[in-house]
Amino acid sequence: MAGSTFGNIFKITTWGESHGKGIGVVVDGCPAGLSINEEMIQAYLNRRKPGQTKYATPRKENDTVSILSGVFEGKTTGTPISLVVMNETQRSFDYSEIATYYRPGHADYTFDSKYGFRDYRGGGRSSGRETIGRVAGGAIAALILKELGIEVFAYTKSIGEVTIDYSQCKKENMQLSPLYMPDLNASAKAEDLLMAAMQEHDSVGGVIECIVSNVPAGIGDPVFEKLDANLAKAIMSIGAVKGFEIGDGFRCATKKGSQNNDPFHIENGNIMKLSNHAGGILGGISDGSEIVLRAAIKATPSIMRTQQTINKYEENIDVSIKGRHDPVIVPRAVVVVEAMTAITVLDMMLSNMTSKLSGIKEFYKKTK
């Protein structure tokens, strides 16, 4: 199977299946000298692990990470970093029934069409547990960006039709909301919506918003390696994502140029913009303002409500999905969006170091 590696200089390669022995990632291209330990990575993984609220799958996994290589005496060595999380509470018998049919909204049919074989135990590589490797790799990327003064911050913008009110948002509210919403009033309404959906054996989707602060102007390339294009690929590669926006996104199609353009302005000798409809990226290159992106997350496809599908004998059947499933994916996907954003921004910043001869000369002068 190709396609498990992402990045050009800072690269992650994820491996493992949801009901295999473990899930992991190999991170290549991490510079030597970064202070890191398992607790730092664990803090990110804890944000996506199951069983923490009544709105997450009851599957209980500690998701404890182990560093197998690439770190010595608390510092990265510059060699590949291998990370593993062992699966502890697989209940593959919950999925034995689906070996005979294709679940609506899942990759069962497309996997069979491509490979002629699939791991039906929870979806295998298409399972949400694959994102463990992304989050572990993204934790390392975020730590490097932090050293550069860059912050990647994601949160739940909406659940179903319930959307946050920015005037009511506080960053610290995310830790109080089981849905990672910075607006607690919206969080309470969204919880009511979820409880109603759960009683109806149904699920709900939502939108995650991510902001990247302090990225300098000039990151990204103007043609195929656009910063926003690579962010789109990174975010759209997350299994549950069905839509992506930068800045005003689809809203820009309804505006006139005079409304959509961001005027430039000089303040205290610094180039700034008076608005940020572009979401911090112009012509595929960062403009120095906040990068703002959004991911639309579909409702969990595994629901107990009766659905129509077909079995492997090409017969029409009705199914009700058994097993342990999230009634909403959004809260646990927040850190996944954050991780993939961090990986993309860091990789493109490393690539950008070769864009000017003057920069290369300046770097090697300092190393003498």
Side-chain angles (χ1 to χ4, degrees):
M1 177 187 291
S4 290
T5 299
F6 182 85
N8 293 306
I9 296 179
F10 185 91
K11 297 181 181 181
I12 65 164
T13 300
T14 68
W15 56 268
E17 294 79 37
S18 60
H19 284 241
K21 289 186 177 182
I23 298 278
V25 63
V26 175
V27 179
D28 204 359
C30 179
L34 176 69
S35 295
I36 195 170
N37 57 42
E38 288 162 342
E39 288 72 25
M40 292 175 175
I41 299 170
Q42 192 65 51
Y44 281 79
L45 289 172
N46 287 347
R47 293 168 57 193
R48 71 146 305 282
K49 73 179 181 181
Q52 298 188 90
T53 75
K54 58 187 173 184
Y55 308 115
T57 169
R59 177 175 177 170
K60 294 289 185 180
E61 291 280 2
N62 290 319
D63 284 355
T64 303
V65 67
S66 296
I67 299 175
L68 303 183
S69 68
V71 177
F72 180 66
E73 294 183 343
K75 301 276 188 179
T76 55
T77 63
T79 59
I81 303 169
S82 184
L83 305 164
V84 64
V85 169
M86 303 307 295
N87 291 325
E88 298 172 339
T89 66
Q90 310 97 308
R91 280 172 32 184
S92 300
F93 58 84
D94 280 348
Y95 298 90
S96 57
E97 183 181 317
I98 69 171
T100 62
Y101 64 79
Y102 300 128
R103 292 170 296 173
H106 279 277
D108 300 344
Y109 171 70
T110 51
F111 246 78
D112 258 1
S113 297
K114 181 174 178 64
Y115 298 107
F117 175 82
R118 65 184 170 95
D119 182 347
Y120 56 82
R121 304 167 302 168
R125 284 292 286 163
S126 63
S127 167
R129 282 191 69 73
E130 180 271 338
T131 62
I132 285 174
R134 299 169 184 248
V135 172
I140 297 172
L143 289 170
I144 298 173
L145 291 176
K146 187 176 180 180
E147 294 282 329
L148 303 173
I150 296 170
E151 180 188 30
V152 183
F153 172 57
Y155 50 86
T156 300
K157 175 179 168 62
S158 64
I159 297 289
E161 298 298 322
V162 180
T163 302
I164 59 173
D165 178 349
Y166 288 103
S167 68
Q168 301 298 313
C169 289
K170 294 180 180 179
K171 197 171 183 179
E172 57 267 27
N173 286 345
M174 281 183 58
Q175 306 308 316
L176 303 174
S177 166
L179 305 177
Y180 285 105
M181 298 185 93
D183 174 1
L184 294 181
N185 291 328
S187 180
K189 292 177 182 177
E191 289 181 61
D192 290 340
L193 176 69
L194 280 170
M195 290 303 296
M198 291 167 68
Q199 290 173 4
E200 296 171 355
H201 301 303
D202 217 333
S203 59
V204 182
V207 174
I208 294 169
E209 190 163 71
C210 184
I211 298 175
V212 190
S213 304
N214 302 321
V215 175
I219 307 302
D221 292 318
V223 188
F224 296 118
E225 291 296 311
K226 285 181 167 68
L227 176 55
D228 45 358
N230 285 342
L231 284 168
K233 179 179 180 179
I235 302 305
M236 288 296 293
S237 74
I238 301 168
V241 174
K242 300 301 288 184
F244 176 81
E245 286 187 334
I246 286 280
D248 283 359
F250 281 90
R251 286 175 294 166
C252 73
T254 66
K255 295 179 179 180
K256 295 178 180 178
S258 58
Q259 298 170 312
N260 189 62
N261 290 341
D262 298 313
F264 285 101
H265 178 70
I266 291 287
E267 187 171 315
N268 298 323
N270 298 315
I271 299 175
M272 304 178 64
K273 297 190 310 180
L274 297 179
S275 58
N276 193 22
H277 301 297
I281 300 175
L282 291 168
I285 303 170
S286 62
D287 62 24
S289 52
E290 286 186 335
I291 296 172
V292 182
L293 61 88
R294 281 169 227 95
I297 311 293
K298 71 178 182 179
T300 315
S302 290
I303 56 177
M304 291 182 65
R305 195 165 182 162
T306 302
Q307 303 176 82
Q308 293 180 334
T309 190
I310 62 170
N311 60 23
K312 65 180 182 180
Y313 309 109
E314 298 186 355
E315 298 170 329
N316 295 316
I317 61 172
D318 292 333
V319 297
S320 176
I321 310 297
K322 298 182 178 66
R324 301 165 292 177
H325 307 289
D326 301 78
V328 61
I329 299 170
V330 179
R332 293 176 60 209
V334 167
V335 71
V336 184
V337 169
E338 208 171 278
M340 292 304 296
T341 300
I343 291 165
T344 305
V345 171
L346 174 62
D347 185 43
M348 298 202 72
M349 289 188 72
L350 293 174
S351 297
N352 195 65
M353 293 174 68
T354 63
S355 63
K356 294 180 182 177
L357 177 60
S358 60
I360 297 172
K361 290 168 70 175
E362 186 66 25
F363 174 82
Y364 281 103
K365 281 180 184 177
K366 291 178 181 179
T367 61
K368 289 183 179 180

